[in-house]
């Protein structure tokens, strides 16, 4: 969030005085919002002509109707899936637990595969894959169906059954998709762990989910280097008693250890596998996957998603938000290890019979135009990426996209953090040639699917705004007491009615689920409980949502949500560190950079070498993305009387150098003074 202040101007006054170029500031007790964007963009007539929905009036009507009866709206969308048995009841809400399409039976892999192979799509490309070294593979729906059936039988042969948890720790290869769909086919619950996470992080996620089997690969290609995934699995499994078997896909061919009896080669198991595996008839609430995400306390949260509601919303949103047509070549650049990869590389697009482009490697390998080279060669039509990537492209310069013919593109998307209007305009102009609408999609691991977004043929776009909640999504911006904010008043982003792809709980920890998401706005006699997103936002006078980012101690670095507490606990696990507090400061490229305040144990010297060592240590504990960009040694941290670190104050120190907020709860005021002086000395 921009931290600029239009000094001394009240919201009302500035609105009257200078509606066009005003930079207005609105403040509530907790949240401040800076607004100034006034431009509006509409889709071209050509785009509208073939869009699934092309009228804003119609969209507004649809939203109004769905708001009155969201359950009826989502029932209509659920009918687009192939159910083995129709549901008896669409919705049940027992605060804070929800069930959708109760009594219904279906299978997610059936939605993605079986229902296409009986149609003309059988020989349509499902996945167009490009490896980082330049190798290519195309899997038709029929080929993908065969591989998934065989691999489902492989899993069964290793004793995997319904509700068993299978960890997937892979790079961006088609086999990762095959593994996910094979789990779904037999009713096993997958737990994909991002391949950039360390052995320690993998172990924690395996143990918390009690995974029985791990699927991995020897190594993955990244910027010309091999990321040795199997080595990390070996390390993780030193203390992971639930895992009985490991399946290893050979990707780079590098030498690895294979532990007899435990480790098996993918290709060897597949050789003997039968090509037919009937999809299990699963209940709508059958657990499809667990995905770990950061929370504001140390331990990652196992977000649990189920089948019927999730598939309904990802299928609907993929079709409508990306205005997907059968001749599109759709590319979402996310990694399969994040929810974006689950919902918008695998389940949503494949359920719609789309052709999905999948790329293994880095955007700047061998050169910073790799993405544009891919777009040109494959004639990508829909491109979905993150603001952090867009900012990196901006920094690398226009010459790279300008070298390529990007005229195949017709729609652009972004997700992961607020996109600043400058980046939006660059994306619109340089990548989209002013021809492609941009869908700025707001959602979370917990929401499972897109919640707030334009429908590109219908919604007029404002750079930097995710625009309006989708039909059937009752989002709002409220004050601490739950009352709705006025136009342009900053507040908490909430959802007032459960939606189908909502996560059902935190795996193994329903108490934390209730505490984190449902206790800030609990039910009262006049209202239901609201889901609290953890984000701050405001709605403008047109009802458009402007997301301001996380308001707790979770930060967004390069589009990845990191719990600062996790980074802190990694730092504290180093023998030299007594205490640590991590906060974010805005960073042009990454969105946020991490600044760690570290108190060393008595007698330990503050050296440059130790700084490096601590950064590496965090990299090893969590993964390279969590390495603090800056480490500041200090002799104490600001704390409340109850001993809570006041990260808010540290945040102010690293962003503005000045403390404006309330410090009445601060235990030792001298600490702040010392931190500030130290800052002065360093800069
Ligand atoms: C958090 C969720 C959903 C997949 C990627 C991240 C931020 C996400 C937007 C957007 C502004 C956004 C929010 C949200 N966020 N999309 N379009 N505009 N902020 O998933 O790791 O669960 O993070 O990302 O702060 O709460 P995640």
């Amino acid at each position: 969030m921009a931290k600029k202040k239009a000094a001394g101007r009240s919201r009302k006054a500035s609105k009257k005085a200078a509606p066009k170029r005003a930079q207005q500031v609105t403040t509530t007790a907790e949240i401040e919002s800076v607004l100034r964007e006034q431009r509006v963009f509409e889709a071209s007539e050509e785009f509208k002509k073939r869009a699934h929905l092309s009228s804003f009036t119609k969209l507004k009507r649809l939203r109004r109707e769905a708001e009155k009866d969201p359950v009826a709206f989502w029932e209509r969308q659920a009918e687009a899936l192939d159910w083995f048995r129709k549901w008896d009841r669409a919705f049940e809400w027992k605060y804070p637990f929800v069930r959708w399409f109760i009594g219904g039976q279906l299978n997610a892999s059936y939605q993605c595969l079986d229902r296409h192979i009986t149609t003309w799509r059988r020989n349509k490309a499902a996945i167009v894959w490009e490896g980082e070294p330049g190798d290519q593979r195309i899997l038709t729906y029929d080929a993908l169906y065969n591989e998934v059936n065989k691999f489902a039988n492989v899993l069964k042969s290793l004793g995997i059954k319904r509700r068993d948890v299978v960890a997937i720790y892979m790079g961006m290869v088609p086999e990762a998709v095959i593994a996910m769909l094979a789990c779904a086919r037999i009713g096993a619950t997958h737990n994909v762990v991002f391949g950039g996470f360390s052995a320690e992080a993998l172990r924690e996620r395996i143990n918390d989910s009690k995974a029985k089997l791990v699927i991995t690969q020897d190594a993955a290609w990244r910027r010309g280097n091999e990321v040795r995934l199997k080595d990390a699995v070996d390390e993780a499994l030193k203390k992971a008693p639930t895992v009985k078997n490991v399946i290893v896909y050979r990707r780079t061919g590098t030498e690895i250890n294979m532990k007899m009896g435990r480790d098996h080669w993918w290709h060897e198991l597949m050789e003997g596998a039968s090509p037919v595996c009937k999809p299990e008839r699963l209940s709508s609430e059958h657990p499809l996957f667990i995905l770990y995400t950061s929370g504001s306390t140390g331990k990652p949260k196992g977000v649990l998603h189920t089948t019927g509601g999730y598939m309904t919303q990802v299928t609907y949103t993929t079709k409508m938000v990306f205005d997907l047509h059968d001749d599109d070549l759709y590319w979402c650049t996310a990694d399969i290890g994040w929810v974006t990869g689950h919902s918008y590389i695998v389940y949503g697009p494949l359920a719609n019979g789309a052709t999905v482009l999948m790329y293994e490697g880095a955007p700047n390998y061998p050169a910073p135009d790799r993405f544009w080279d891919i777009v040109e060669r494959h004639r990508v039509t829909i491109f979905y990426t993150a603001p952090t990537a867009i900012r990196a492209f901006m920094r690398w310069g226009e010459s790279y996209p300008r070298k390529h013919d990007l005229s195949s593109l017709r729609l652009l998307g972004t997700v992961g953090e607020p996109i600043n209007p400058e980046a939006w305009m660059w994306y619109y102009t340089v990548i989209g040639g002013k021809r492609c609408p941009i869908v700025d999609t707001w959602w979370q691991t917990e929401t499972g699917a897109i919640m707030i977004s334009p429908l590109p043929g219908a919604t007029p776009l404002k750079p930097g705004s995710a625009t309006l909640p989708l039909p059937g999504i009752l989002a709002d911006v409220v004050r601490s007491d739950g009352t709705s904010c006025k136009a342009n008043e900053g507040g908490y982003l909430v959802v007032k009615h459960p939606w189908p792809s909502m996560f059902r709980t935190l795996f193994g920890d329903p108490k934390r689920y209730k505490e984190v998401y449902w206790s800030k706005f609990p039910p009262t006699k006049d209202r239901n409980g609201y889901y609290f997103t953890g984000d701050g936002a405001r709605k403008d006078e047109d009802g458009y949502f402007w997301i301001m980012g996380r308001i707790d101690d979770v930060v967004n670095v390069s589009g990845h949500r990191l719990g600062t507490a996790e980074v802190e606990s990694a730092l504290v696990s180093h023998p030299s560190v007594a205490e640590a507090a991590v906060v974010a400061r805005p960073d042009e490229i990454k969105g946020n950079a991490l600044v760690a305040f570290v108190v060393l144990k008595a007698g330990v010297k503050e050296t440059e070498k130790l700084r490096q060592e601590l950064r590496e240590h965090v990299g090893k504990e969590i993964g390279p993305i969590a390495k603090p960009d800056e480490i500041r040694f200090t002799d104490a941290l600001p704390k409340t009387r109850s001993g809570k670190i006041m990260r808010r104050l540290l945040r102010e120190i690293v962003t503005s150098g000045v403390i404006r907020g309330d410090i009445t709860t601060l235990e030792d005021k001298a600490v702040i003074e010392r931190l500030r002086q130290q800052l002065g000395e360093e800069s």
Side-chain angles (χ1 to χ4, degrees):
M1 178 173 79
K3 271 273 163 8
K4 288 178 216 154
K5 288 217 170 187
R9 246 206 232 158
S10 82
R11 191 180 56 80
K12 254 196 185 145
S14 63
K15 202 174 169 186
K16 273 197 184 139
K20 270 275 173 306
R21 39 164 263 301
Q23 178 164 317
Q24 307 169 345
V25 177
T26 58
T27 316
T28 62
E30 294 95 337
I31 303 170
E32 166 195 293
S33 161
V34 178
L35 49 135
R36 55 202 157 96
E37 186 53 51
Q38 304 283 342
R39 288 166 287 199
V40 177
F41 295 83
E42 297 250 7
S44 66
E45 281 313 309
E46 197 192 334
F47 188 96
K48 283 176 182 273
K49 223 184 287 162
R50 54 179 248 146
H52 293 306
L53 191 79
S54 57
S55 148
F56 194 36
T57 313
K58 266 199 197 139
L59 172 59
K60 285 193 279 197
R61 194 183 322 129
L62 196 59
R63 292 185 63 234
R64 261 198 316 275
E65 283 165 14
E67 186 165 347
K68 279 191 220 126
D69 192 349
V71 175
F73 173 83
W74 288 115
E75 273 194 277
R76 281 200 299 283
Q77 311 319 320
E79 273 155 21
L81 302 183
D82 286 354
W83 296 81
F84 300 140
R85 182 181 187 279
K86 201 179 161 168
W87 55 94
D88 307 311
R89 241 169 345 125
F91 177 71
E92 180 195 273
W93 176 231
K94 289 187 184 151
Y95 167 83
F97 298 100
V98 74
R99 296 199 292 160
W100 281 88
F101 311 120
I102 302 136
Q105 290 182 339
L106 76 169
N107 184 293
S109 96
Y110 188 94
Q111 305 305 313
C112 295
L113 301 168
D114 304 53
R115 67 170 181 163
H116 304 311
I117 60 154
T118 51
T119 71
W120 68 269
R121 289 198 186 97
R122 183 162 76 89
N123 295 317
K124 178 180 175 178
I127 298 177
V128 174
W129 178 83
E130 183 164 311
E132 196 186 70
D135 43 343
Q136 300 196 9
R137 285 164 65 191
I138 293 177
L139 280 96
T140 62
Y141 273 93
D142 197 54
L144 187 61
Y145 171 83
N146 283 327
E147 294 299 295
V148 169
N149 273 267
K150 275 163 59 185
F151 196 67
N153 281 325
V154 164
L155 292 175
K156 276 190 184 169
S157 74
L158 292 175
I160 299 301
K161 355 173 260 307
R162 279 183 187 214
R163 288 183 182 268
D164 284 343
V165 176
V166 172
I168 300 175
Y169 184 64
M170 301 182 86
M172 291 291 287
V173 289
E175 280 64 23
V177 180
I178 293 165
M180 289 165 77
L181 292 174
C183 287
R185 196 162 189 86
I186 63 172
T189 301
H190 57 69
N191 167 15
V192 181
V193 179
F194 173 52
F197 275 133
S198 67
E200 271 78 359
L202 172 63
R203 178 191 296 153
E204 184 173 24
R205 286 156 174 76
I206 287 174
N207 287 336
D208 191 74
S209 67
K210 303 188 178 62
K212 285 199 173 156
L213 183 138
V214 179
I215 306 168
T216 190
Q217 59 192 64
D218 50 359
W221 288 116
R222 187 78 192 174
R223 220 164 268 125
N225 297 315
E226 282 178 283
V227 182
R228 299 185 55 86
L229 296 175
K230 176 58 167 58
D231 289 357
V233 170
D234 290 342
E235 181 62 31
L237 293 192
K238 283 181 184 162
K239 274 187 235 137
T242 54
V243 175
K244 303 294 172 230
N245 291 287
V246 177
I247 302 176
V248 187
Y249 171 67
R250 181 179 276 154
R251 166 59 183 141
T252 68
T254 185
E255 192 80 20
I256 54 162
N257 276 326
M258 291 293 278
K259 188 170 166 183
M260 273 267 279
R262 185 194 71 180
D263 301 350
H264 318 267
W265 284 109
W266 176 294
H267 59 268
E268 286 176 5
L269 294 172
M270 286 292 264
E271 236 166 65
S274 144
V276 185
C277 174
K278 250 183 85 182
E280 292 281 315
R281 293 170 69 104
L282 302 172
S283 76
S284 179
E285 286 299 333
H286 189 86
L288 178 60
F289 66 85
I290 302 168
L291 187 60
Y292 284 83
T293 189
S294 297
S296 55
T297 65
K299 203 170 150 255
K301 302 181 287 193
V303 170
L304 180 81
H305 281 284
T306 59
T307 309
Y310 174 81
M311 288 306 292
T312 298
Q313 197 173 330
V314 296
T315 305
Y316 172 76
T317 51
T318 305
K319 177 174 171 192
M320 298 307 289
V321 171
F322 299 108
D323 188 46
L324 192 70
H325 292 266
D326 257 311
D327 54 359
D328 275 313
L329 180 54
Y330 163 93
W331 183 16
C332 164
T333 69
D335 192 279
I336 213 98
W338 309 113
V339 74
T340 311
H342 286 56
S343 301
Y344 297 106
I345 295 177
V346 183
Y347 291 109
L350 297 180
N352 279 290
T355 301
V356 175
L357 188 126
M358 193 172 169
Y359 167 59
E360 180 182 37
N364 53 354
Y365 186 86
D369 66 339
R370 180 61 182 268
F371 274 16
W372 319 125
D373 182 44
I374 291 175
V375 168
E376 178 175 14
R377 276 187 290 105
H378 295 278
R379 287 187 212 102
V380 172
T381 60
I382 302 171
F383 180 75
Y384 188 32
T385 197
T388 182
I390 298 167
R391 289 190 299 266
F393 301 144
M394 285 171 76
R395 174 113 131 210
W396 295 337
E398 280 182 30
S399 65
Y400 293 106
R402 295 260 185 247
K403 268 199 254 176
H404 295 276
D405 176 5
L406 305 181
S407 62
S408 59
L409 290 172
R410 61 178 203 90
L411 178 68
L412 303 174
T414 95
V415 62
E417 56 186 311
I419 179 165
N420 46 311
E422 287 70 25
W424 196 101
M425 286 308 301
W426 188 91
Y427 196 30
Y428 185 75
T429 311
V430 179
I431 305 304
K434 299 187 182 161
R435 177 183 75 245
C436 310
I438 297 178
V439 286
D440 176 353
T441 61
W442 179 90
W443 59 295
Q444 310 176 294
T445 307
E446 292 87 343
T447 71
I450 296 170
M451 302 287 280
I452 304 177
S453 168
L455 295 190
T459 314
L461 308 172
K462 299 186 189 183
S465 169
T467 74
L468 300 167
L470 295 178
I473 300 300
L474 277 57
D476 197 6
V477 179
V478 300
R479 308 184 180 111
S480 294
D481 63 4
T483 55
S484 293
C485 290
K486 291 178 301 198
N488 291 322
E489 176 184 343
Y492 301 97
L493 181 61
V494 298
V495 187
K496 295 185 167 177
H497 188 283
W499 60 100
S501 65
M502 189 173 111
F503 67 139
R504 298 306 193 246
T505 189
L506 292 179
F507 186 73
D509 204 349
K511 212 173 126 238
R512 191 174 177 204
Y513 164 78
K514 187 171 176 180
E515 264 164 31
V516 174
Y517 302 99
W518 298 97
S519 60
K520 193 162 175 71
F521 301 100
T524 64
K525 61 180 191 336
D526 331 292
R527 61 152 211 247
N528 288 323
Y530 299 160
Y531 168 76
F532 177 44
T533 63
D535 281 357
R538 70 177 167 88
K539 289 199 291 183
D540 69 14
E541 50 287 341
D542 299 322
Y544 275 43
F545 284 64
W546 297 77
I547 314 292
M548 291 147 44
R550 316 275 321 156
I551 58 158
D552 55 11
D553 293 321
V554 176
V555 296
N556 220 308
V557 177
S558 301
H560 303 315
R561 178 156 51 137
L562 288 175
T564 50
E566 277 182 89
V567 184
E568 288 163 6
S569 58
L571 283 164
V572 175
S573 72
H574 188 280
S576 304
V577 175
E579 215 176 13
V582 174
V583 296
R585 106 173 115 61
D587 180 89
E588 212 183 299
I589 301 285
K590 305 205 296 184
N592 284 293
L594 292 178
V595 183
F597 290 85
V598 172
V599 182
L600 294 173
K601 288 195 180 145
V604 178
K605 279 227 180 68
E606 303 176 357
T607 61
E608 206 41 52
K609 190 167 152 271
L610 182 58
R611 269 208 181 92
Q612 268 321 310
E613 199 179 306
L614 292 177
R615 294 186 72 247
E616 293 309 318
H617 180 70
V618 174
K620 183 171 158 284
E621 290 288 311
I622 305 176
I625 51 166
K627 281 188 195 173
D629 298 83
E630 200 181 311
I631 289 185
R632 295 190 186 173
F633 294 121
T634 172
D635 58 355
L637 295 170
K639 289 188 184 165
T640 63
R641 269 152 244 224
S642 62
K644 274 202 180 123
I645 299 173
M646 295 181 76
R647 292 180 189 77
R648 178 167 60 79
L649 302 182
L650 296 173
R651 219 171 287 136
E652 288 186 280
I653 291 181
V654 301
T655 49
S656 61
V658 188
I659 309 271
R660 286 203 188 78
D662 177 24
I663 55 165
T664 48
T665 52
L666 185 65
E667 167 80 353
D668 173 9
K669 299 203 168 50
V671 171
I672 283 294
E673 204 33 59
R674 289 205 298 278
L675 281 167
R676 221 172 14 208
Q677 275 170 9
Q678 195 192 354
L679 177 72
E681 285 159 23
E682 276 177 17
S683 56

